[in-house]
Amino acid sequence: MESLPEQYQFIFEHVPVAIFRINTGNKIVLANPSAQSLSGYTFEGLQGMDIGDLIETENPSHPPLKFLSIENEKEESLVTDHELIHESGRKIPVQVSANKCPDGFLHLFIRDVSQEQRQSIAYREIEKRYETAFKSNPDSVAITDVAGTFIEVNQGFCRIFGWSMDEVLGRTAVELDIWVDIQERDQMFEIIRRDGFVFNFDARMRRKDGEVINVLASFTMMMLSDVPHNLSVIRDTTSRKKMEVELRKTMEKAEESDRLKTTFLTNLSHEIRTPMNGIMGISELLLGEEHYTSEHKELIKIIYDRGKDLLSLINNIIEVSKIETKQTRYSFSETSVTELLDAVRSSLKLNGDLKPAVQFHIESSEDIVIFSDADRLHQVLMHLLHNALKFTDKGEIRVSYEKTDEGGIEFVVQDTGIGISEENQSLIFERFRRVEGDDAIARGGAGLGLAICKSIIEDLGGTIDLKSKLGEGSEFRFTVIDQNRR
Ligand code: ADP
């Protein structure tokens, strides 16, 4: 290897650029440490190597190695892009600066540009992504300068506002008469001045054909080449607004018809209840008459029992109507659980609801007194027990209770009846829902009771849950809270 004057040796050895000195025969005569690490060759390996073997000359995407024939050209130096073939065979994109020396030798300064190339590919990718987002956005996207002049708009703008690209660029929103309400515009720009942006501003704007449209406009300030600009994204909500209005009208109609239906049901139920009470009263009197035979009494009992079913159905319909129109009234007082359960037991006995084949237990524990609605709790317990009795042919029905951590009460009503399948367990709390099947139909009911119970329990600050297994029985658990602790 040739050697350099001492004062240049240090620079030569430490500069992070690969330096090659090439003689007129294209052979490397000198290479610095950076040249070694870039090419992967040792000094010995590089010395005498033809520069054409190190730097790609046949790649069509690169110009031929002009510096090899620089002798014949006028230029003293030349910068070109090439690929350097690393010792491993890997190609490295490089920038080559070739300088012709007075002694006819060439000095090549070679820089690895793979990092820059990767970066510029990444930048181009990002640019393409944003350009696609801008162009293909179905909303209007526009860039205006501080004077409000449109610099760039997308197809979405042209579609929404009806102007062609040529008609828009270089003009302002004022010139295009886009704003319908100037106050609205001022209000929006006031927000932009204050916050630097505005998001989904509800406004009305005008199309080229004069049609007024509803839009949601978002504006944000941005700097382009250090100059402030406005970026706007505008969504046409006209059809959505129309749909919303239609939907509201339909909903109002549905609510109105629901209200009418509820009123009708309430009125009808009240009208039926009055004569029914007459029928019930008379059949009760007839049952007490001594001169009727037992066959007659059996028939009268059927009238009485079916009448009772009908009355209970009517009462439930009235109850559901009240729940729907939020008219259920509550009356709170100090309520003793033992007194409540005694009353429940008496009602069941008095009505002749209990069945000989089914044992009925109320587990006695220490009395709990809470501030709640005793009549409503009585109603819920009676309903759960009527269901338990209805769906249990043998075995037992058990009622128990305990204090909850929150100072309320949890009641449990268990039976050994037909049970409820898993898929039906959540459905039966919805109104008019019954477990469909011959059994349910045979046992009767309109499917209102549990919906009423759930609504009452929730109004009393509690929840109701069900555990059940088909063929084994059901367990309804519900809680109520002390209203004084609410
Ligand atoms: P209904 O007012 O007709 O009694 P509910 O809402 O009280 O209706 O009950 C709905 C359905 O849930 C009943 O038709 C029945 O299928 C089922 N169900 C309720 N309680 C029980 C139970 N203890 N055992 C089995 N099935 C039950």
Side-chain angles (χ1 to χ4, degrees), residues 184-230:
E184 232 169 40
R185 186 198 67 181
D186 293 347
Q187 198 187 342
M188 198 189 75
F189 278 105
E190 186 51 46
I191 300 174
I192 300 174
R193 257 192 298 278
R194 193 192 60 209
D195 300 340
F197 70 92
V198 68
F199 183 65
N200 279 352
F201 187 87
D202 214 334
R204 284 170 313 141
M205 292 187 171
R206 194 179 290 105
R207 285 169 48 88
K208 183 183 177 185
D209 59 12
E211 191 199 332
V212 172
I213 54 172
N214 294 94
V215 298
L216 281 179
S218 300
F219 279 70
T220 186
M221 304 271 280
M222 64 174 189
M223 300 301 275
L224 290 181
S225 312
D226 286 337
V227 181
H229 283 75
N230 245 329

Side-chain angles (χ1 to χ4, degrees), residues 80-109:
T80 40
D81 290 329
H82 293 278
E83 276 180 338
L84 182 139
I85 306 157
H86 188 266
E87 190 267 341
S88 63
R90 182 168 51 91
K91 291 180 178 172
I92 304 169
V94 290
Q95 193 180 61
V96 181
S97 166
N99 298 270
K100 196 172 152 192
C101 297
D103 59 8
F105 279 38
L106 275 177
H107 280 161
L108 301 185
F109 301 99

Side-chain angles (χ1 to χ4, degrees), residues 43 274 296 318:
F43 289 127
T274 318
H296 283 136
I318 295 175

Side-chain angles (χ1 to χ4, degrees), residues 172-189:
T172 64
V174 176
E175 285 166 353
L176 299 180
D177 199 18
I178 279 180
W179 284 93
V180 173
D181 185 341
I182 299 302
Q183 273 182 341
E184 232 169 40
R185 186 198 67 181
D186 293 347
Q187 198 187 342
M188 198 189 75
F189 278 105

Side-chain angles (χ1 to χ4, degrees), residues 21 31 51 58-59 88 93 95 148 266 287 340 399 401 434 440 474:
R21 184 168 152 81
I51 189 68
E58 277 154 21
N59 190 331
S88 63
Q95 193 180 61
T266 316
L287 274 175
L340 174 70
V399 183
Y401 63 89
R434 297 187 323 182
S474 311

